[in-house]
Amino acid sequence: MTNLLEAGRSVLRSLSFGGAKHRRTIPESAVTINGQNTSLEMENGTQIEQIEFDKAVQVLLKGETLIKVTVHNKLYSRFYRLDPDCQTLHYHDPVRRYGSCQAKSRPIDLLSLKEVRMGYKTDVFNACSKSRSFTARISADRCFSLILPNGESLNLIAPTSESRKEWANVIQHIIGKGQQEDRETRMEKWLRKQFKQADTSGDGFLNFDECMLLLDHLNLHFSKEQAAEIFKKAGTVTRRQASGEALELPHQQEVLNAEGFRRFYALLSERGDLQKIFTEFAEGDHQTWTTKTLQKFLREVQHEEDQTLEACEFIIKSFEPMDENQSQNLLGLAGKSKHFN
């Protein structure tokens, strides 16, 4: 069981930047036990919280019988377990778990889930909660729901409130990891697109003038002096031919390669005060604000009490540079920087 837990921890940690949209490619080494401490570090978690999380992962890897609630308010016992790849949840009839009559396991792709809801927070559980006999037997602190990609829900009842906490926390952590990777992948694609469009010479490098044109295109307002400082800080290089021989450039012109451009864009958005405020108000992943988050900020911090959700949506459309964020009415840190400037 210890080996299985270590494998699960390692795979959880390997859910990182650069995978496919829903299914991440996990290298074989990710599930190899090497005897080293591969404990997954929780963000802002204490040592005690980490220990509790490790115990919860062990519970899910071993598996447990949960009660599934159907849309017709029928209750069925099902055995659920987390696959060692930490991306898939398997379930089947618990009485057929062993032997030749074992029922076929049905997989659930955890990385495709939208969220985990606690308590009576779905239509199915809400309908059940209107029955006194149901609430007398099953308390809300044992109930949780997995929200599927199509908006439907898998409604489950854990044996205890502590068990519910273990299942919900681990699954939500996996969902969050996958969603963060998707956002980072979209940002990477967007940055590559911006770099290619800004590279008017097509040589794979951006000089300072090309970067200034890009800032203007993105409606990011920086003085030439500010931009030049950031350009230098991003790590300029001397343009070279494939052979490594330095090209003859006027005034020893310095340029940014693709990696330098990523640093350049990150530095544009890097304001300590803004980062702190953005993280404080951001929900969950600290990557984006919704219209409601923006409205809350404007009302509580900027004292703009009359700001409506429609006005916040207009702000996002006006300042968010990423089309994909715009389409979902989400505001990233770069968009907030533009709004502040």
Side-chain angles (χ1 to χ4, degrees):
M1 188 63 229
T2 301
N3 283 357
L4 191 60
L5 174 59
E6 291 297 328
R9 287 173 176 171
S10 181
V11 175
L12 273 172
R13 194 180 62 222
S14 71
L15 291 176
S16 59
F17 183 26
K21 183 174 183 181
H22 291 308
R23 174 62 52 179
R24 276 62 181 171
T25 300
I26 305 298
E28 290 185 12
S29 59
V31 293
T32 299
I33 307 305
N34 56 18
Q36 297 181 351
N37 182 11
T38 57
S39 179
L40 174 70
E41 289 190 13
M42 299 174 65
E43 292 184 9
N44 304 319
T46 64
Q47 184 176 5
I48 293 176
E49 289 172 334
Q50 179 65 60
I51 292 172
E52 291 301 316
F53 184 80
D54 287 345
K55 289 180 179 178
V57 172
Q58 185 171 1
V59 169
L60 269 66
L61 288 170
K62 184 177 180 180
E64 189 171 31
T65 298
L66 306 174
I67 298 174
K68 175 183 176 182
V69 186
T70 71
V71 292
H72 302 296
N73 300 340
K74 301 292 184 180
L75 307 184
Y76 296 95
S77 290
R78 295 288 183 267
F79 183 81
Y80 290 81
R81 67 173 178 82
L82 178 65
D83 192 278
D85 70 1
C86 290
Q87 302 178 67
T88 310
L89 190 66
H90 298 282
Y91 71 100
H92 45 66
D93 187 331
V95 301
R96 296 184 180 179
R97 218 182 341 151
Y98 306 107
S100 59
C101 63
Q102 179 175 341
K104 184 178 180 181
S105 175
R106 281 164 268 189
I108 299 172
D109 181 6
L110 295 179
L111 297 178
S112 71
L113 298 180
K114 291 185 176 181
E115 62 175 325
V116 179
R117 294 182 189 171
M118 312 285 258
Y120 307 144
K121 295 294 180 64
T122 61
D123 291 341
V124 171
F125 270 133
N126 185 47
C128 290
S129 68
K130 294 177 181 178
S131 167
R132 290 185 179 180
S133 63
F134 182 88
T135 55
R137 292 180 294 121
I138 301 169
S139 59
D141 62 4
R142 290 173 53 197
C143 302
F144 67 103
S145 303
L146 308 183
I147 307 304
L148 306 175
N150 61 4
E152 295 181 358
S153 59
L154 173 60
N155 302 282
L156 301 170
I157 303 170
T160 65
S161 60
E162 184 61 29
S163 175
R164 194 270 310 254
K165 180 181 177 182
E166 292 170 339
W167 281 89
N169 284 353
V170 173
I171 293 175
Q172 186 59 62
H173 180 88
I174 294 171
I175 294 172
K177 281 279 188 179
Q179 291 175 343
Q180 180 179 357
E181 180 177 319
D182 282 340
R183 283 187 293 271
E184 291 176 344
T185 300
R186 290 196 300 269
M187 173 60 82
E188 174 69 15
K189 289 180 180 178
W190 183 79
L191 286 174
R192 285 200 299 264
K193 178 182 176 181
Q194 298 305 317
F195 181 84
K196 185 176 180 180
Q197 290 179 344
D199 182 18
T200 55
S201 61
D203 59 4
F205 297 93
L206 297 184
N207 59 36
F208 181 69
D209 290 337
E210 288 172 326
C211 285
M212 287 300 294
L213 288 173
L214 176 59
L215 294 183
D216 185 62
H217 171 71
L218 296 177
N219 197 28
L220 290 171
H221 305 295
F222 288 85
S223 68
K224 198 167 185 178
E225 291 74 20
Q226 287 176 313
E229 182 180 352
I230 295 173
F231 184 77
K232 284 278 189 181
K233 196 180 292 185
T236 55
V237 296
T238 301
R239 201 178 330 208
R240 294 179 180 276
Q241 296 174 319
S243 63
E245 179 184 351
L247 294 171
E248 293 295 329
L249 298 171
H251 310 298
Q252 296 297 314
Q253 186 183 31
E254 293 180 320
V255 293
L256 293 176
N257 57 17
E259 183 60 34
F261 172 68
R262 279 190 282 269
R263 290 193 295 269
F264 178 72
Y265 185 81
L267 289 168
L268 292 175
S269 306
E270 192 179 87
R271 276 181 49 178
D273 56 337
L274 180 57
Q275 178 71 64
K276 182 179 179 180
I277 292 172
F278 195 86
T279 301
E280 180 182 344
F281 277 82
E283 298 175 1
D285 55 52
H286 299 171
Q287 298 289 323
T288 55
W289 282 5
T290 63
T291 50
K292 288 184 178 179
T293 309
L294 178 58
Q295 182 187 52
K296 180 181 179 182
F297 167 79
L298 293 173
R299 288 181 173 181
E300 294 183 6
V301 178
Q302 303 291 86
H303 305 293
E304 299 178 17
E305 301 293 340
D306 59 343
Q307 286 289 356
T308 64
L309 290 176
E310 289 75 16
C312 293
E313 187 175 327
F314 177 78
I315 290 173
I316 292 174
K317 296 295 184 186
S318 302
F319 294 98
E320 173 55 44
M322 285 188 65
D323 292 338
E324 293 185 17
N325 279 351
Q326 279 194 31
S327 66
Q328 300 177 63
N329 285 328
L330 296 175
L331 184 68
L333 183 57
K336 189 58 191 166
S337 297
K338 288 171 63 178
H339 183 225
F340 261 27
N341 286 335

